[in-house]
Amino acid sequence: MNYTEDLSVSNINDNKFELTLSVSTVTVATKEEAKKVVDFQKQAFIAEPGSLELEHLFTTQLYSTNLWSSGCSNAAYIGMTGVTLDFDHGYTIDEAQQAFADYNYILHTSRTHQYSEDNNLGEDRFRVILPFEPGVMQFTSASEAAKVYYKLMTLYPKADQACSNPGRKFFPSTRELNTPFLLDVHVSGKYFSMDVSDVPVVKPFVQVNYIPPTELDTHEELYRMLKFDKFIPWCQGEASNGLPEPLWHAMISNLCRFEGGRELIHEISAKDPVIGRYDFDETEDKIQHALESSGPIGYEEIVKRGWSGVAPVAPLAPAGFAKIGSIQNRKSLFASDKNPDIYLKHDDWILVDDKGILSAIIFGDLKQKVKEEGCTVSAVCPFCDTDGAKIRTNTFHFAYLHCEQCNRSYWEHPDSPELFSYNGELLRIEMKGNKFISHEKLKPVNFRNGLEWDYACKAVMNDPKRRFIGDSFTINRIGDASFGELGYEMLPEENSVVFEFPAIGVDVQDNAFIDRFLDRMFRDRADFVKNWMALYAYTNYVSLPVIVLTGPRSCGKNTFADLVGEIFPSLKATWDGDKEQFNDFAKAKLVFVDENRHSDKPVQYAEIKRLTGSRTIKINEKHIRQYYVRNNAKFIFATNDPRPIALHWREEPESEKTNNFFIYSCPAVSSDDIDGELFDKLKARLGHYVRTELKKRFEAWKQSGNANTRYALKTPITDLAKQLFGASKSLIELEAEELAQYLVCGYQRNDGSLLYPKTYSFSPVMAAGGLYVQQQDLRELVQKLNFKGHSNYKSYITVLQDHGVLSYKNDNRVSGQRLGYQILRKPEYYTTASGSIAAEEGVITSSAGLSICHTTSSSNGRVVFE
Ligand SMILES: [Zn+2]
């Protein structure tokens, strides 16, 4: 790489830029020295190629593009002047120079640039500083700072994730390792800028409960606590100023459980500056009292009692650090192994720097974070206790921790809890972000060696909780507003694997807004619709009535359907309402049929009936072999068509208890009332609405026991529905349309008993490329179909002629043979429903028997599952 060449191209009129950094007040020569630095000051620089001042800075001083009121803690953060990205794996300087060419930037290599370790070749390791336009300090709160780095990590996934905390400073590229140092000041670009208005509130690590040890423990564990906890060392430092009594108690309750802790309590207490306040016997009494109490006092309480430090997510009390992270002396899995690997289990506690404080997180969660964000996580090595270990995942999404100090890697245990087996094959559930990746079939090549593969196969296939076989196996997706986060469950008793989706998060709390929208749109039916939504949010596999909405444009029907879809954004699908080759929409929880173009097809009605009435549905999905899901689909139709759905008059419901269709015409909204931001406003309020109003309705529904209704709720039979069912003209049209399908495709029905079967069948006559039907055959067909108007079969002929299905002439001849009416509609009109069509339920039949559920594509076997 030739840097001088790069520098010479800089624009003469624009050959420098300004930047302001936090810079350490002292210079250092080694990493160890750098670790002790805490004082920083704000300093402005002119950046230009070849700057010796900058070279000196980046090799001897700590710096940050974040500014602090004092020191360099998360709490003291006041804003940023730019951003700094750290690249240490899988990204070259060349790639970075191209990626950032449009910006002013400073690129400098870091301490371990091209340094070979662990028998690996060296890699480019470097930082990229991207200054903002000088002037006003930006992103002045810690939450905004978190959003900035959250977005940066999405934009530049190769950057080290650990750059993101507001207290983050960067060590200089000290010259201890004699690595090459390169500095590229790129001045021909523009200042960097960030817009974080689209970034959601950044979620911290998930809270985990850790139960601290309660028994008297060893010296070694005492030292671990003193090393990682911040509270007891604070007490030690503060003792000579006099500890406030509540905090003194907290200190005792944490120390008293350890061998050597008692002595330390006396040592700290004796430093009290007030003569006579330390009393040996009184302190012993306190220790005894603390030992008899339930457990060590936790961080939350300690903060309440006035400690100004920051509590980690876990452990919950200082004493908890004693047992966290140290997993030394772990035996190898394989007795025969000459150079045994040591494995990390999913529930092993690992200490990580969580926004400036050490917190304990289980390895499985860290793996998930690393995988989702494509980053590395810095951690304290659980074997040698030094920090600076890194957690990464390999190509096949198994995680490992590499420690420079131990000079080795520790691998994810081959038997990971996401594994399951189906009909003798090893599969894995994978989540990424808010998605599941397909239940992916694993192969020996996915594991580091044959021993691991054998181990995992054996462990999973011998575990009845994770071993599935047979035709009744289903893969199900459910949404429930009481779930906290994306998860999965293996249910051997139901022979199923279940993917669990949480509801949309809470943003704005304003139920009245959503109520106004629903009340305006559904008027006296709003109560039913809200209850429907409540069951949608809190139940699964419950059969809910189909919602069919019609009405003018911008009456809100699509907004309503989209809003329901947003309750579980990953569980919505659209369907064009026709029978299709691929029906993967049917694995969704909400199926939205927009502009129901096939509302005139009787086959649609049959398909809806089948989809709402079946316990399981066979999913035909592109590139994935057929598999079964337990039916969890609810339907909303929206259309401008005043006749929104093809209903069958013979199925007109007798009461609200057996009604399966809520058919509703939405009132128009005057153009003055149309709010372009309505959907966004509703969506922002939805999370709270779901967890309050809908929850209340769900609880009430549970109490009331709606067991005697067929579709969970009493479903209003609207005037529109009555019209649709009752209007004889439209009925004739509907039936004529059904008739047309049989005329074109044929019809077959089995009557009579098993012993004396009688078959009636109709097929059109084909001649000279056209289809024909004689009038008497048509009459017989109408009678066999038992249509309501069968006594006047000619009315059907009139409708079919008017619709261009039948010729007006009924004396068509081909080669002198009289063939009757010509059927003008082509079989292609029913492309997806070819072959003979049986009546009603018989239109679609599904065969039993389950095909296995992994992907057929052999190229990489990985398909996003939703
Ligand atoms: Zn180590």
Side-chain angles (χ1 to χ4, degrees):
M1 204 163 310
N2 189 333
Y3 283 86
T4 46
E5 208 173 86
D6 192 38
L7 302 181
S8 66
V9 298
S10 52
N11 187 330
I12 295 161
N13 296 320
D14 184 16
N15 58 0
K16 55 184 99 167
F17 61 82
E18 289 175 42
L19 89 157
T20 300
L21 298 172
S22 290
V23 179
S24 66
T25 51
V26 294
T27 59
V28 295
T30 64
K31 186 182 174 185
E32 282 310 305
E33 280 176 50
K35 283 182 180 173
K36 294 172 192 130
V37 172
V38 291
D39 282 330
F40 285 78
Q41 62 191 18
K42 191 169 110 177
Q43 200 173 332
F45 296 90
I46 300 294
E48 48 193 339
S51 164
L52 293 175
E53 184 187 23
L54 289 178
E55 179 172 338
H56 179 74
L57 164 70
F58 295 127
T59 51
T60 63
Q61 281 170 287
L62 291 81
Y63 68 91
S64 179
T65 37
N66 291 356
L67 300 181
W68 304 288
S69 54
S70 68
C72 57
S73 67
N74 289 335
Y77 172 83
I78 53 170
M80 55 177 75
T81 62
V83 295
T84 309
L85 295 170
D86 189 22
F87 296 95
D88 65 358
H89 179 58
Y91 199 54
T92 66
I93 290 175
D94 281 339
E95 286 169 328
Q97 283 170 328
Q98 277 181 31
F100 296 105
D102 288 345
Y103 301 106
N104 289 331
Y105 68 74
I106 295 172
L107 185 157
H108 77 83
T109 53
S110 44
R111 194 178 68 101
T112 55
H113 174 60
Q114 288 301 345
Y115 184 64
S116 311
E117 52 187 342
D118 194 27
N119 298 325
N120 290 320
L121 288 176
E123 286 192 80
D124 282 355
R125 298 201 171 103
F126 56 96
R127 316 248 172 75
V128 175
I129 300 170
L130 297 158
F132 298 147
E133 182 100 49
V136 187
M137 195 164 52
Q138 299 192 37
F139 307 111
T140 52
S141 72
S143 66
E144 281 181 303
K147 285 184 180 185
V148 167
Y149 277 93
Y150 180 88
K151 186 162 180 177
L152 281 172
M153 293 309 142
T154 321
L155 295 173
Y156 308 107
K158 299 281 186 180
D160 183 357
Q161 180 70 17
C163 305
S164 14
N165 71 63
R168 170 77 191 204
K169 63 262 178 193
F170 293 89
F171 286 3
S173 180
T174 48
R175 315 307 311 134
E176 303 150 87
L177 303 171
N178 289 320
T179 50
F181 178 75
L182 302 168
L183 173 65
D184 172 16
V185 180
H186 181 79
V187 295
S188 58
K190 58 186 186 221
Y191 285 107
F192 194 69
S193 61
M194 291 284 295
D195 173 14
V196 294
S197 57
D198 57 342
V199 180
V201 175
V202 178
K203 212 174 90 180
F205 280 117
V206 181
Q207 174 91 34
V208 281
N209 289 317
Y210 174 77
I211 300 152
T214 48
E215 72 273 28
L216 269 169
D217 277 320
T218 62
H219 255 121
E220 194 185 61
E221 290 178 345
L222 174 67
Y223 295 139
R224 290 186 62 71
M225 170 171 70
L226 296 178
K227 183 168 172 182
F228 298 123
D229 157 61
K230 293 264 195 313
F231 172 66
I232 304 292
W234 176 87
C235 293
Q236 287 175 297
E238 204 59 23
S240 51
N241 298 324
L243 282 176
E245 184 149 342
L247 292 177
W248 180 63
H249 284 289
M251 184 262 303
I252 290 174
S253 86
N254 277 281
L255 278 177
C256 65
R257 286 151 221 284
F258 297 93
E259 195 185 334
R262 190 173 287 248
E263 293 79 355
L264 190 55
I265 290 168
H266 284 290
E267 189 189 312
I268 294 171
S269 308
K271 287 187 190 161
D272 197 293
V274 181
I275 293 161
R277 202 157 83 171
Y278 165 67
D279 177 88
F280 183 88
D281 292 336
E282 189 206 341
T283 306
E284 277 294 303
D285 280 351
K286 291 286 183 233
I287 290 171
Q288 203 48 45
H289 185 256
L291 281 173
E292 285 159 10
S293 72
S294 58
I297 290 172
Y299 283 111
E300 204 183 314
E301 175 65 22
I302 291 171
V303 168
K304 264 190 221 155
R305 292 182 179 192
W307 181 52
S308 57
V310 181
V313 171
L316 299 181
F321 273 110
K323 283 205 190 276
I324 279 179
S326 179
I327 43 181
Q328 304 180 37
N329 307 322
R330 184 168 280 178
K331 288 203 181 76
S332 169
L333 288 181
F334 312 111
S336 62
D337 218 342
K338 284 193 194 96
N339 301 303
D341 277 317
I342 296 175
Y343 291 94
L344 288 164
K345 294 177 186 163
H346 268 231
D347 55 0
D348 277 334
W349 292 93
I350 309 287
L351 290 171
V352 295
D353 187 323
D354 181 16
K355 300 180 194 72
I357 10 154
L358 275 187
S359 272
I361 314 284
I362 61 171
F363 183 62
D365 285 354
L366 290 170
K367 171 192 170 176
Q368 196 56 30
K369 184 178 168 67
V370 167
K371 200 173 75 185
E372 276 177 18
E373 297 171 17
C375 62
T376 60
V377 166
S378 300
V380 175
C381 172
F383 295 92
C384 72
D385 276 356
T386 57
D387 61 3
K390 291 259 189 326
I391 298 172
R392 297 195 173 100
T393 55
N394 68 14
T395 324
F396 297 109
H397 287 176
F398 285 100
Y400 62 98
L401 177 145
H402 181 81
C403 172
E404 277 183 39
Q405 188 68 33
C406 303
N407 195 23
R408 68 184 297 178
S409 293
Y410 302 99
W411 301 90
E412 178 182 348
H413 199 283
D415 179 15
S416 108
E418 307 133 334
L419 302 176
F420 69 98
S421 75
Y422 178 65
N423 283 358
E425 289 181 327
L426 191 65
L427 293 103
R428 176 167 64 175
I429 297 172
E430 280 218 71
M431 291 184 276
K432 191 166 186 185
N434 60 357
K435 285 190 160 70
F436 287 99
I437 301 175
S438 80
H439 28 64
E440 176 200 8
K441 188 184 156 190
L442 294 173
K443 307 182 191 86
V445 68
N446 301 133
F447 289 81
R448 290 179 51 249
N449 55 46
L451 287 173
E452 282 190 12
W453 160 254
D454 289 342
Y455 185 98
C457 285
K458 223 173 269 171
V460 175
M461 291 177 197
N462 287 331
D463 181 355
K465 291 199 172 82
R466 293 186 288 164
R467 188 186 58 214
F468 302 94
I469 44 172
D471 290 354
S472 61
F473 178 66
T474 54
I475 292 178
N476 303 317
R477 302 167 6 126
I478 62 173
D480 188 321
S482 36
F483 293 149
E485 56 185 13
L486 195 69
Y488 64 88
E489 255 185 295
M490 297 185 192
L491 300 174
E493 63 280 6
E494 291 176 16
N495 203 18
S496 65
V497 171
V498 183
F499 296 162
E500 299 171 340
F501 294 81
I504 182 175
V506 173
D507 186 359
V508 180
Q509 306 191 1
D510 177 10
N511 288 351
F513 189 89
I514 294 187
D515 275 333
R516 270 201 305 278
F517 167 76
L518 295 172
D519 293 344
R520 187 208 42 79
M521 189 165 161
F522 293 105
R523 300 181 173 176
D524 54 335
R525 311 298 189 189
D527 210 44
F528 163 76
V529 171
K530 290 174 194 176
N531 288 336
W532 191 97
M533 288 172 73
L535 295 195
Y536 178 77
Y538 286 95
T539 68
N540 287 285
Y541 313 130
V542 167
S543 186
L544 292 181
V546 175
I547 292 184
V548 181
L549 303 177
T550 179
R553 271 191 196 290
S554 69
C555 68
K557 54 193 191 301
N558 287 47
T559 307
F560 170 74
D562 289 342
L563 187 68
V564 175
E566 284 302 321
I567 295 177
F568 304 109
S570 302
L571 293 179
K572 63 181 174 188
T574 54
W575 176 37
D576 78 349
D578 202 0
K579 188 171 183 294
E580 294 166 336
Q581 188 186 358
F582 299 114
N583 68 342
D584 52 327
F585 66 86
K587 71 189 183 185
K589 189 167 184 184
L590 182 73
V591 178
F592 177 40
V593 184
D594 188 11
E595 289 309 332
N596 186 10
R597 272 181 228 95
H598 302 275
S599 61
D600 54 345
K601 287 194 189 174
V603 69
Q604 178 186 73
Y605 182 78
E607 181 73 353
I608 295 167
K609 273 192 60 181
R610 187 179 74 86
L611 290 170
T612 53
S614 323
R615 188 180 182 276
T616 54
I617 300 176
K618 183 161 67 182
I619 301 294
N620 289 317
E621 195 170 351
K622 253 185 201 164
H623 307 308
I624 291 188
R625 274 195 224 170
Q626 292 174 336
Y627 63 99
Y628 278 81
V629 300
R630 196 165 162 200
N631 185 9
N632 199 21
K634 330 291 170 204
F635 291 83
I636 297 180
F637 287 72
T639 172
N640 298 328
D641 192 335
R643 206 183 62 200
I645 192 165
L647 293 174
H648 211 299
W649 65 272
R650 273 168 290 192
E651 309 215 356
E652 182 165 353
E654 281 158 17
S655 84
E656 297 193 339
K657 286 184 180 177
T658 55
N659 183 16
N660 190 22
F661 288 90
F662 173 69
I663 304 169
Y664 180 79
S665 175
C666 306
V669 178
S670 86
S671 56
D672 298 343
D673 291 342
I674 293 172
D675 177 355
E677 291 165 15
L678 175 66
F679 181 69
D680 290 336
K681 289 179 186 168
L682 289 167
K683 190 177 154 188
R685 290 154 174 79
L686 184 60
H688 183 66
Y689 192 75
V690 165
R691 285 168 184 78
T692 50
E693 177 64 28
L694 296 188
K695 175 136 204 240
K696 196 177 77 193
R697 286 175 177 272
F698 166 67
E699 298 291 342
W701 174 83
K702 253 195 332 196
Q703 295 294 315
S704 71
N706 270 264
N708 58 348
T709 58
R710 197 197 276 176
Y711 300 102
L713 288 170
K714 277 189 192 170
T715 305
I717 303 167
T718 59
D719 290 344
L720 175 60
K722 283 179 195 152
Q723 274 173 34
L724 288 176
F725 278 117
S728 62
K729 184 166 179 291
S730 61
L731 169 70
I732 296 285
E733 284 178 348
L734 278 170
E735 290 185 335
E737 196 50 52
E738 188 175 344
L739 179 62
Q741 192 167 352
Y742 303 137
L743 286 176
V744 176
C745 306
Y747 176 79
Q748 185 164 352
R749 192 172 75 195
N750 294 316
D751 293 332
S753 67
L754 277 173
L755 280 175
Y756 303 100
K758 277 186 283 179
T759 305
Y760 167 76
S761 71
F762 166 83
S763 335
V765 175
M766 193 186 288
L771 296 175
Y772 297 88
V773 59
Q774 297 280 8
Q775 183 161 313
Q776 63 268 28
D777 293 337
L778 208 156
R779 185 177 61 196
E780 190 187 4
L781 178 58
V782 170
Q783 278 165 354
K784 288 288 181 188
L785 289 167
N786 197 25
F787 278 177
K788 202 176 191 182
H790 64 83
S791 57
N792 183 16
Y793 74 95
K794 283 188 178 164
S795 59
Y796 295 102
I797 295 178
T798 309
V799 171
L800 293 177
Q801 286 169 330
D802 290 349
H803 286 191
V805 179
L806 277 189
S807 65
Y808 283 98
K809 263 173 69 170
N810 73 346
D811 57 352
N812 288 289
R813 286 166 192 272
V814 172
S815 317
Q817 194 193 349
R818 220 178 131 163
L819 295 170
Y821 296 99
Q822 186 176 2
I823 301 166
L824 302 168
R825 183 175 283 176
K826 299 273 175 275
E828 294 78 58
Y829 185 86
Y830 303 101
T831 44
T832 57
S834 57
S836 83
I837 304 281
E840 296 190 325
E841 292 82 358
V843 171
I844 300 104
T845 49
S846 62
S847 59
L850 174 72
S851 308
I852 43 177
C853 59
H854 56 73
T855 66
T856 49
S857 111
S858 58
S859 54
N860 60 7
R862 178 178 290 266
V863 177
V864 173
F865 188 58
E866 53 176 29

